[in-house]
Every structure is written in structure tokens, then in C-alpha cells.
Amino acid sequence: RHLILTQLFFSTLLRGTCGKATNKHKPWIETEYQGIVMENDNTVLLNPPLFALDKDAPLHYAGEICGFRVHNGPLGSGSVQFEAVVLDRSTGEGLVRSKEPLDCESQREHSFTIQAYDCGEGPDGVNSKKSHKATVHVRVNDVNEFSPVFVERRYEASVPEGRLFDRIVRVEALDADCSPQYSQICFYDIITPNVPFAIDNDGNIKNTEPLDSKRQRIHTFWVTAFDCGKNRAQADAQVVVTVKPSCKPGWIGWTKRVEYTPGSGSIPLFPSLHLETCEETVWNIQATVELQTGHIGKGCDRDSYSDRSVRRLCGAVRGEVDLLPPPSPAANWTSALPTLPSSDSSLVFSFNGSNHVAVVPDAVVSALSGDHFTLQLWMRRGGANIQPATTQTRGNRKEEETIVCSTVKNDDSFSHYSLSVHGCRLSLFYWPDVSAARPVKFLWKLEQVCDSEWHHLSLSVQFPSVTLYVDGVTFDPALIHDNGAIPNPAPRQRMFIGACWEEEQKEILNNTIPEGKDSGDLIYIGGYHGLLSGVTVRPGSVEPHSVVECLYACREGLDFGDLETLGSGMKVHVNPSQSVLVLEGDDIESFNRAVQQVTYRNSLRFATPGVRPLKLTTSLRCFNEESCLSLKQLEGYLVVLQPDAPQISLSGVGPHLARPAPEFEGPRGVPLFPELRIVCSLSHAVNTAAQGMEGGGESHTLMSDAVAHTLDGCEVQPLGEELNPEREELLVDMDVVRERGLEIINTTAYIAITGAESISVYEDVLRSVRYRLAKGSARFERRFRLSCSEMNGRYTSNELTLEVNFLHSLDSLYHPSHLLASQQQFLHPSHHAGELSGHTLPNPHRNSVVPGAATVIIMVCVGFLVVMVILGVFRIRSIHRRGEGSRGGAKEGSNQWDDSALTIIVNPMESYESRMGISADTEGEGEEDEEVAESPDDASDDQRIIIKKEGRDSNARRY
């Protein structure tokens, strides 16, 4: 028993000593491993391979590796999904594997730590040691398990025809694989054969040939996609390409010619116009419509009356003085100025800047005193092309062009002013008192002064206040007090148009004032170069703005139909002359609707016919300014058709007016046109077809409609010799003329009544025109012609010719008793008063002349023998006819021919009455008259014979 205990003691002691000696070292592994694992595998391939070493080897247990432990990595992931196992305990070889399948798409990389453990000192693993922790990085390798998928199942695009495009549409497919190899789409393919399209590896589709919408409007084909692992898309995509007709950016529906019928009011200029941008995105559109009317009078269609008549129609205060009146004996200071034709019938004067100057007489200037006045004029600077002066020195008045220069006398002082142009500046120099020598300069910088176009200027001076209206728009001046070296104007009353004057201090030059106009001490300075018309000045209170606007107002121009239809963001602007209209907006549809509302209006009933050039300029702004559309300017023209001309008809005046000469010698004379009627009518075609009429076709007839109208002038003119002021004159009721505000020129050659007024007013004035003779001045006849016009002679009336016959007493012409008796019968008291004063409408023989009493006597004497023979023959035939079958309407005693005492009595009024178709039942006072009166057949035969004889001449006359 002691032996057994001894052995057990030594064995235990031996085991304790040997254990401490055999497991002295920890296992050793690498500090870091890189691992790869496939999605369809769970074994991780490590680099370097997993081996654990122990220096206790080759001892059993102590030198063997019993296992590996997996721990969480730095990010706390990986330990759950992976495990490590020992493949060989003696070599320490190990294996890392996943516990469950890995998904690259959900997590591509994993990190964790690993430790190795030895077997300890015995089979129970007592006193085992562990190594340090090593980091393991595992990357999950992708497997091409997914196929490409298109983002859209259907792709649509539209392209214009006839062009090749680098890209029409782009298709796109995606792959769910995680690796670049299998997730990228390597190429696309069009699987529909024979289509004119191609696709590149990025999915861009283009056409390989120009497309034709007429041949094929819609192209449909299919495309597929492949990833880099050659997996094809699960489902193919459909592509639809629509071919549009060729799109050209610009205006569609533009009509180059637009016709306007006068009297139509307003018409749309572009009823079907719309803008095509070809799907280009624009954020601002601006269109400018220009109507060029510079060749129509003074810039547009205005009332074609004289400037003075227009002032009356506009309600201007009377009292204006025309500084450039039409040349006449009473206004001869403009006779030397050249004039130009004007389509609006106004008188246009030309100034050449040197010797074309109008010197207003002192009698006219004396009525223009005071520091309150309104100066108005039409001005067109220079010739066809004028450029602003570039070498002018500021303050040098000699280089200015003076329009009006005036010195007028006030109560006890003189004031001076001059209106000038200088480059593109308009200036007014004003001296309230020339003795004070302190001028004030009002200066305006205006483009209108130098653009070589007609402009209307209205300058209202109410010193120290000055108001300028240019084309109806107010402009404020720059006020300058000038105390420079400006010579004091001479205290003498004078006014020049087209230049100013300067007291000559040196040798007289060639441009002196004409003879009789202070030629010894004045020379011209600052000559005006250009055109002037309608220069008037009115002293007193200034002209109201409403009158100025009316004087300038255009009766034609551009307008906008209905401002309420403007869309949101739309703006419209029209210049004062209504020749330029600007539209601005940001929406294509609203802009197109607005353009179709642009109209042309002309309120004149008789608009000036002709062509008005029309322009449309468009400016677009896009988000991409480099590729923004640029539209060319469109040009067209508006044609104003010829209006229906009014027919001004004068009637109610007979071609003859016969009165006893003493009536013409009375203090009031004889009215020439007491029953004058003036009618204005418009003729137009009327379709009379198909109103129950047979024969088909269309029939047109002219219908005349009387219209209310305005005349602006009538003229009474003596034909042949002018009036002899010592023997005859034409009288007019001046009270009627003044009351109506008309003007009259009464000369020996004509009477002219002018001014825009109604027809009824002109009828009243013309009915008051009388013809008066001096005692003993009556002749046998005097002829007058009456005519009227409107719109400064644009439309004229028919001409009425009136022949005045003076009925003389035959005592002074012929003395036989039978002629005296005839003349007494002719002047029988008032029996034929109505017939003598009667008037008839003009007949075809308006130029025929009724001879006087002496002419009748001579003609009767010449044909006396012939008449006697012919009357005898017809008398016998008449008796023979009455004896055979006469029903007896005449007295029996009248059938006898008594030629025992034949006496011929000639009544001059019988010839006049027979020509005018007037039947006279004259009561005879002698046997001869009764016998002739009781033989109507003889009278008719007698008349026929005489007519036949006179018919041989060109002008048949009846007596």
C-alpha cells in the first residue's frame, strides 16, 4: 500500500511539472486577411491562407490548434454571418465560411476579427491559450443573376421631316447586379428590321435617312439591352417616332397685301397670323408693327381741308394770322417763295437757307403785339436726307436756322423772339423788352427736329411760361438766361419767315434783303433749310391742349381691337401718331391672340387712296440665348382703295335770267341764284339679280344716296371780260359770311368764298350773291359761272352757267310805231313776272345764247321775203285741208288771209319763251295780234319753218 501511494504522488508531481513545461506558447496567426466569397458559395478564400502556429508543437495537445473564434469587426458586423473551423489540428489549418447565403446587392463587403485557440494540456483543453485577434476583410463577388430592365416601356418622340438628327430620343435600361461587370449595359440593339434608325451603346437613337411625313407619318420599332455578362433585357422597349411636317420658325398666315375700303371703320390687319417657334422655349416676345404714312400729306391721312378750315373744325379760337398765306393780291409776300405739291391739298413752301425769305408786312405784324401768343406750324427739316450738323459751335447763333424772327411793338416798348433749329435742338429766344437786353432761351433737344419727317409744332407763349407740343406731345424746355454777346435787336417792328436779320456793319453782301426792304442796313442771317406749311400765330390766350391734339390728330393709324382681351402678362403701346404699335408678352398663345387684334382704322369717309407700307419686326428672348430663334422682318403693304367720289350737284338755277335793266341798277341789284339747291350724293352699285327676275346672271345698277356733307369753297366767276368796277359789281351779304365764319375774296375776276361749312350754309350765302349795275351801264347780256368744291378742290361740283339778259326799252333801239307797240306789249305790267323770273335746270343747250331785241329785228328783216312766200304757200294748203275735212275748232273768220295791210310785230320775249318751253297766252292789243292768235295752226307752221331754217347752224334756236 505504501508503494501505491508513492507512485501516485510521483506521477502527480510529474504531471504538474511536465504541464507547465509543455504549453508555454500562444498560437500565432497573421494580423490581417483578405477574403473573397461568391454569392452562390459560402467558402471564403483567404489571402494569406488561414494557418495557426504554436511553438509548443509537436507536443500533443499543447502544440495543436483546437479552434478559431470569430468576433465582431470594427463596425460591429460580420461575426454573425461567418464562422471559422479547424481543418487540421496539427498543422493549424483553418477555414472561414458563411453561415447563410450572402447577397452582394445588399452588402458587398464584410469585416470581422478572428482568434486561434490551442488544445491546452490535455484532451479536456485545460489551460488552453489563444492568439491575438486578426482582422478579416471579406468581399462578396457578384454573380450575374439579374437581367437589364428598361426605365420606360414606351418611348415617344416627334421630329420635323427632311433633316438628320444626332439624337431623336434616348432609351435607358438598368441592371440590379452590384458589380460593374454585370450591372452595366454594354450595348443596345434595335430588333425590328428595316427601320431608318440606329442606336448606339448609350441608348441614343438617331435617324439614318431624312424622314418624310407624307410617306410615313409614324415609325414604331422595338429595342433591347444587354449587360456586360450578356444577359438580355427581361422585356423589350417600344419606340414611337412621329414625323412632323417641316417646321420653319416664323410667322404663319402673313398676308403681304391688305385692302381697305374707305368707310369700313377698323379692320384687323392680321386675322389669321400666329407665331411658330418649333417647340423652342421662349420667355419674352416683342413685335413691332409699323405703318409708314410719311408720303400721305404730312405723315398720315388727315382732314383734307385747308389749315384754316381745320382750325375752325377743331374749335380753335379765331383771330389767327396766317404768316404764309397763298399768294394773292392781298397777300403778295409769299409770291416769290417756291411751293411744292402736297397730297393733302395744303400749300407747302420751300426754303433753301439763303434767299428764300418771306418778309411779313408791317400791317400784319402790328396785330401781333403782346407777350401772350400761340405759334403753330408744320415743319419738315432739310431735303430728302438731312444729317444733324456736327461742326456747330454752341452759342453761335449764325449757324442756327431761323424759322420765325419777329420784333413787335407793344404799348411803349418792343419785344423780340426768334424760333430756330440748331442740329437736333429747337430753341426759342425771347426778349420781353429789347431795351433791357436780357434774353431768355428756351431749349429743347428733339429727334423730331432732324429726322427729315413732317412734324406739327405748337408753341404757346405766356411769358415767362412756354409750352411746346410736338405732334401733340408736350415737351419741357431747358431754361437758360443768356447775357452773352448777343446784340440788342433794333427797336423796329418787323417779321421774317425763313431767316432773321442783322444790322449791317460791314460791306453789303450778296444776300441782302430785296430792294425796298431796308436794303441798305439789313442782311439775312440764319437761313432756314426745309419745308414749312400752315405757319400761323394767334395773339392772346394760349391754345388749349385739346385743340392742339385735334389739329394734329391722324384720321388713320394703328389701333388695338379690345384691350380687355389681352392675356396675362401682355402689354401694348401705340405712339402718338399711331404709326407704330408694340406688343410684348411671354406666352405664345396669348401673344398670337393679341396680334390678331391689331387693326387699321381710318375715320375719313373719303380716305386718301394709295399704298401704305407695312412692317412687322419680331424679337425673341430664350433661356438658351445662343440657340434662340431669329426671325426676319416681314414687309407688306396696306392698299386704301379709291373711295366712291361724292357728286356735288348744283341745280335750281336756270341757264337764263332776264330782268329789266332798271332792276339791275337798283341799290341792291338782282340776286343771281335765288333758288339755288346743292345736293351731295354717293353712287354705289346695287345687285338687282334674283329678286323674282328671270334669266339668271347678275345685274347691277347705280344708286345714289344723299349724304350730309361739308363744302370748303365756292366760286362765282364772270365769263368773258372781267367786271368793270366803274360800271358793275357783285355783292354778297357780308353779315351772313361773318356770322358763319367764312372768308371771302371779291375781285373783278371772281368771288371766292372759302371755309369748311355745311351745304345749307353755302346755299344761304350763294343765294345772297347779287349783281348790280351803274346807271346806264346795262348791256345785252352777261354770263356767270358757279362751281363749288370740297377738300381743297379734291371733289368739285358741276358748273352752272347763268346768262343774264337785260331787257331794255325799245325806244332807245328802234323807233317805228309797230315796234314801239310791241315793246309796250312786252313790258306789260307783271303779266309774265313769274315766267321772267323762273329758273330751270340746265339743258343740253347750256351754251346757247338768246339774242337781244336788235338781233331779232335784224334776223326778221333778212328773212322777211322768204317768210312771206312760205307763209302764203302754207296758208293755201291750210285752207284746202280745212275745206276738205276740218272738224272746225277755229273761228270761221280766221280762215281768211288778209294781206292788205300786213304788219309784222316781233316780241323778243316770244323767242325766249319758246326756247324755254313756256306757253304764253298774250292778250293782243291790235287786229294783227288777234288774227295771229286765232290761227294756232299758222303759228305752229310758222314756228316749224323758222326752226328748220335755224337748224342749219350748229346751235338750233327757237324764236
Side-chain angles (χ1 to χ4, degrees), residues 352-387:
N352 61 1
S354 58
N355 59 346
H356 291 168
V357 180
V359 181
V360 183
D362 291 343
V364 177
V365 181
S366 60
L368 305 177
S369 61
D371 55 1
H372 287 25
F373 60 90
T374 299
L375 177 67
Q376 297 194 18
L377 56 96
W378 284 95
M379 178 186 74
R380 182 180 178 184
R381 181 92 175 279
N385 295 303
I386 182 172
Q387 298 295 332

Side-chain angles (χ1 to χ4, degrees), residues 474-628:
T474 309
F475 290 89
D476 295 327
L479 185 61
I480 301 173
H481 293 278
D482 198 339
N483 287 324
I486 300 176
N488 287 22
R492 180 175 178 179
Q493 187 166 269
R494 59 171 62 94
M495 175 180 285
F496 284 6
I497 309 296
C500 201
W501 65 85
E502 186 178 68
E503 301 290 342
E504 186 183 21
Q505 299 177 357
K506 299 180 181 179
E507 183 181 356
I508 298 177
L509 302 179
N510 293 330
N511 57 348
T512 56
I513 295 178
E515 186 175 356
K517 300 292 182 181
D518 301 327
S519 58
D521 59 348
L522 296 179
I523 59 174
Y524 293 143
I525 62 171
Y528 172 73
H529 182 263
L531 305 178
L532 293 177
S533 178
V535 183
T536 62
V537 62
R538 184 180 59 80
S541 59
V542 299
E543 205 75 84
H545 188 197
S546 58
V547 173
V548 177
E549 288 181 339
C550 177
L551 292 174
Y552 173 73
C554 290
R555 293 300 187 94
E556 69 170 342
L558 300 173
D559 204 351
F560 193 80
D562 187 4
L563 293 174
E564 296 182 357
T565 61
L566 275 178
S568 176
M570 289 296 303
K571 300 177 182 178
V572 60
H573 172 74
V574 184
N575 68 336
S577 63
Q578 294 185 300
S579 61
V580 178
L581 185 144
V582 181
L583 282 174
E584 186 175 357
D586 52 9
D587 180 69
I588 295 291
E589 294 183 1
S590 299
F591 196 86
N592 288 335
R593 288 194 299 268
V595 168
Q596 296 171 5
Q597 290 286 327
V598 177
T599 61
Y600 168 80
R601 58 151 191 86
N602 196 320
S603 58
L604 289 179
R605 176 181 293 172
F606 307 109
T608 304
V611 175
R612 276 77 160 161
L614 196 62
K615 293 183 180 180
L616 176 61
T617 307
T618 310
S619 174
L620 301 177
R621 301 187 66 181
C622 309
F623 292 101
N624 186 0
E625 294 294 341
E626 296 180 357
S627 62
C628 195

Side-chain angles (χ1 to χ4, degrees), residues 729 771 863 950:
E729 64 178 339
Y771 180 53
E950 292 294 335

